[in-house]
Amino acid sequence: MKLAILFGGASYEHEISIVSAITVKEKLSRYELSFIFCDQDHKFYLIDGTKMKAVTFSRGEHRKMPQIFLANGGFEQRGLFGSKKHDMPILNLIHGGDGEDGSIASLLDFFHIPFIGPRKEASMLSFDKHYTKWLANSLGIKTLPYEILHKEDKRAVKTAYPFIIKPARLGSSIGVSIVREERELDYALDVAFEFDSVVLIEPFIAGVKEYNLAGFSARGEMNYSIVEEPQKAEFLDFEKKYLDFSRSGNVAEASVSDTLVQQLRDAFKTIYLPLFEGALIRCDFFEIEGEVYLNEINPIPGSMANYLFDDFGDAIQKLLGSLPDKKMIRVKYDYIHSISQAKGK
Amino acid sequence: MKLAILFGGASYEHEISIVSAITVKEKLSRYELSFIFCDQDHKFYLIDGTKMKAVTFSRGEHRKMPQIFLANGGFEQRGLFGSKKHDMPILNLIHGGDGEDGSIASLLDFFHIPFIGPRKEASMLSFDKHYTKWLANSLGIKTLPYEILHKEDKRAVKTAYPFIIKPARLGSSIGVSIVREERELDYALDVAFEFDSVVLIEPFIAGVKEYNLAGFSARGEMNYSIVEEPQKAEFLDFEKKYLDFSRSGNVAEASVSDTLVQQLRDAFKTIYLPLFEGALIRCDFFEIEGEVYLNEINPIPGSMANYLFDDFGDAIQKLLGSLPDKKMIRVKYDYIHSISQAKGK
């Protein structure tokens, strides 16, 4: 079965996308894989599978490989004697900007290229942590209270210390700080505003129980991963997260009650359907006093959260067989016909 | 000054986009205009200005004109002896799907093509009437109470009669009905669900005062149109709206108090900044008991609401001089470098 892994992108998470792609390559060895690299200038290259190493990209060696172009129905490789179409389905593995903000979804949809990944609305609502609050709230899913601060706002925070500051539109813990007292506030805001003009502030709850659950829907049925209790050194910083994206060994299932598993699955399903159809996503939850709170939605989780699935290859196959169709609109020119008839033309 | 008008799209509003483009052409005669038609299959054609007539498209004559392709920095016209780049800024005039849902914004941004029009987040939040409620609510802008019904939901409506049913993601009054009593409900829902799987239901207030205001920000300053009190035969149906999109004569300013104008402008500015920068939008408001309510945001209004501006050409020129820059992200491969060094490679 053919599948192309699309990775890279003009994003702060460009490098971890490369790591993700290399990891997923190993886990999908049963597929006939292609690799499409999107560089920071938005040029696409078809990467030789044997060159799927981090240094290929950091050394710029991808530029020696064939450049390909978006075209209706697939990527096009142009040559002197015509062009070759690469029209296999795409696995969108571009983390952060481009991949998770709705750009890549818009592009692939526009060019009628089937893909695994969040569609544009799902991307937009999960990429921006402020919009995710709106979504969860409208679905009756609990989240922590929050406030929003814009770069140009007065730096007055109402949330009690300690709290956590996150750039609104970034993943992988980039620019995130825990602020314990007032004198740490300015620096933490400076760091977050380096990456985004909007930040989200939430109470920091030391020792809160965290659970991650991944899943997807295929042929009308939900498929869930095991529940993971993520290891955390308070929270994962970028370097640790970076290594985290190369995880391929299976992790131990969290020892949690059946009731909690059911609560997590119920919340996951409420968030997932129908917005995230076509994607394998990971939701990160808190458990507070027996209740489940949504922390984050990862619509393209690091290395596709492969380590949470017994048979990751099978999960991808199920998804591929159940990608959403985009409604086709046929234009009949009824109004123009009736108007031009009325004008006697 | 060069400018390309992009119109068409795979959308229920394809035909009115053609009408809009023809109207705007007349109003921007001082520009060196090009015309880019996006057909329903997402092929782009460069249209000869003298052929900018509705029948060109309904008869399929555009297919005889040069096809052009999205490329970095502009549209590309390919020929036997190399290709020609059309790299003028774009005025996005694709109404409804594609144009207003964030797809075109994503494409143009991705390919580094400057354009007038809503960016992808602004598109998404104004295209979906449900998301617009979230946005208005978060900004403290009043809207009518509402409920959401999905296609597969039980058809039980809590809102009191009479109410109005709108497909969540369509403009130009397509699929909209007023429902006065229960026996009209099923048909109205059938009509709305023809176009979208989600509908929004709001109380219908007979004789409510309506005011439209268009505007944009340029060089840090808000520019407002006159306030219009739209003519309405209860509400404009699609055929009337269709004619509405070809309006080019200036309309009379509504006779409203300075206080109300200020209220409308304040609400407009709150909605506009910073989300809609780069776009000329029209907001449609209700006035109820001295208070302003947002009805709809039109991020690409019919014929760009040219008839609301004294000097439309000047408005477009101001906007063109003040298009938002997309933040460039440079990838430095620091993590990959440090990891490969650690590995001794």
Side-chain angles (χ1 to χ4, degrees), chain B residues 146-173:
Chain B
Y146 69 100
E147 58 185 303
I148 297 291
L149 211 63
H150 294 85
K151 202 168 190 166
E152 64 280 9
D153 289 348
K154 197 166 158 261
R155 290 183 164 190
V157 176
K158 292 185 204 89
T159 308
Y161 293 95
F163 52 74
I164 189 159
I165 294 183
K166 303 171 176 177
R169 288 160 291 194
L170 264 184
S172 311
S173 308

Side-chain angles (χ1 to χ4, degrees), chain B residues 242-293:
Chain B
Y242 184 80
L243 296 172
D244 205 45
F245 277 69
S246 60
R247 281 163 76 189
S248 56
N250 282 49
V251 301
E253 184 153 12
S255 63
V256 285
S257 69
D258 291 351
T259 318
L260 182 59
V261 171
Q262 198 54 52
Q263 280 176 289
L264 293 167
R265 288 184 174 188
D266 289 347
F268 186 102
K269 186 179 175 181
T270 302
I271 294 159
Y272 187 95
L273 288 176
L275 190 63
F276 287 93
E277 278 176 333
L280 183 161
I281 72 172
R282 198 188 74 210
C283 289
D284 299 352
F285 295 101
F286 296 134
E287 190 236 301
I288 302 171
E289 295 172 357
E291 292 206 272
V292 159
Y293 286 67

Side-chain angles (χ1 to χ4, degrees), chain B residues 116-187:
Chain B
I116 292 178
R119 312 294 122 168
K120 61 179 182 301
E121 294 83 1
S123 304
M124 276 255 330
L125 294 178
S126 51
F127 185 59
D128 188 310
K129 294 176 171 67
H130 188 187
Y131 301 162
T132 304
K133 295 280 188 184
W134 297 351
L135 174 67
N137 187 43
S138 83
L139 297 170
I141 301 290
K142 286 197 164 62
T143 67
L144 294 186
Y146 69 100
E147 58 185 303
I148 297 291
L149 211 63
H150 294 85
K151 202 168 190 166
E152 64 280 9
D153 289 348
K154 197 166 158 261
R155 290 183 164 190
V157 176
K158 292 185 204 89
T159 308
Y161 293 95
F163 52 74
I164 189 159
I165 294 183
K166 303 171 176 177
R169 288 160 291 194
L170 264 184
S172 311
S173 308
I174 303 173
V176 173
S177 305
I178 297 169
V179 182
R180 295 175 190 286
E181 43 185 347
E182 204 181 336
R183 66 185 175 85
E184 297 172 350
L185 178 61
D186 254 345
Y187 179 72

Side-chain angles (χ1 to χ4, degrees), chain A residues 93-111:
Chain A
L93 247 184
I94 299 183
H95 302 298
D98 283 346
E100 287 177 293
D101 67 5
S103 300
I104 290 292
S106 293
L107 260 69
L108 296 176
D109 249 347
F110 191 86
F111 286 106

Side-chain angles (χ1 to χ4, degrees), chain A residues 50-285:
Chain A
T50 64
K51 300 287 170 59
M52 280 295 290
K53 294 169 187 160
V55 290
T56 298
F57 309 99
S58 59
R59 289 179 185 153
E61 286 167 11
H62 58 274
R63 287 190 213 102
K64 297 177 204 149
M65 297 181 212
Q67 200 181 340
I68 54 178
F69 300 88
L70 273 165
N72 253 305
F75 285 84
E76 211 171 63
Q77 184 174 351
R78 296 179 197 150
L80 271 175
F81 308 103
S83 66
K84 187 183 163 192
K85 185 68 78 67
H86 298 274
D87 59 358
M88 63 290 279
I90 301 284
L91 173 62
N92 177 9
L93 247 184
I94 299 183
H95 302 298
D98 283 346
E100 287 177 293
D101 67 5
S103 300
I104 290 292
S106 293
L107 260 69
L108 296 176
D109 249 347
F110 191 86
F111 286 106
H112 309 291
I113 302 171
F115 67 102
I116 293 179
R119 311 294 124 169
K120 62 178 182 299
E121 293 83 0
S123 304
M124 275 257 329
L125 293 178
S126 51
F127 184 60
D128 188 310
K129 294 177 172 66
H130 188 188
Y131 301 162
T132 304
K133 295 281 187 182
W134 298 350
L135 174 67
N137 186 43
S138 84
L139 297 169
I141 301 290
K142 285 196 165 60
T143 67
L144 293 186
Y146 70 101
E147 58 185 303
I148 297 291
L149 210 63
H150 295 83
K151 202 168 191 166
E152 64 280 10
D153 289 348
K154 197 167 156 264
R155 290 183 163 191
V157 175
K158 293 185 204 88
T159 308
Y161 293 95
F163 51 75
I164 189 161
I165 294 184
K166 303 172 177 177
R169 289 160 290 195
L170 264 184
S172 310
S173 310
I174 303 174
V176 174
S177 305
I178 298 170
V179 181
R180 296 177 190 284
E181 42 185 347
E182 204 182 335
R183 64 185 176 86
E184 296 172 351
L185 178 60
D186 254 345
Y187 179 72
L189 286 174
D190 287 346
V191 170
F193 284 133
E194 271 284 297
F195 297 100
D196 200 339
S197 57
V198 183
V199 303
L200 187 111
I201 299 169
E202 287 178 324
F204 174 72
I205 308 172
V208 67
K209 283 278 185 192
E210 284 189 48
Y211 298 102
N212 297 349
L213 177 64
F216 60 91
S217 161
R219 300 189 193 283
E221 220 172 274
M222 291 300 302
N223 293 258
Y224 299 103
S225 75
I226 59 162
V227 172
E228 181 201 14
E229 198 170 348
Q231 47 149 333
K232 51 177 176 177
E234 209 143 61
F235 62 95
L236 293 170
D237 67 16
F238 186 65
E239 293 216 32
K240 291 201 195 83
K241 272 263 166 132
Y242 184 81
L243 296 171
D244 205 45
F245 277 70
S246 60
R247 280 163 74 189
S248 57
N250 282 47
V251 300
E253 185 153 13
S255 63
V256 285
S257 69
D258 291 351
T259 317
L260 182 59
V261 171
Q262 198 52 52
Q263 281 175 290
L264 293 168
R265 288 184 173 188
D266 288 347
F268 186 101
K269 186 178 175 183
T270 302
I271 294 159
Y272 186 95
L273 288 177
L275 190 62
F276 287 92
E277 278 175 335
L280 183 162
I281 72 174
R282 197 188 75 211
C283 289
D284 298 352
F285 295 101

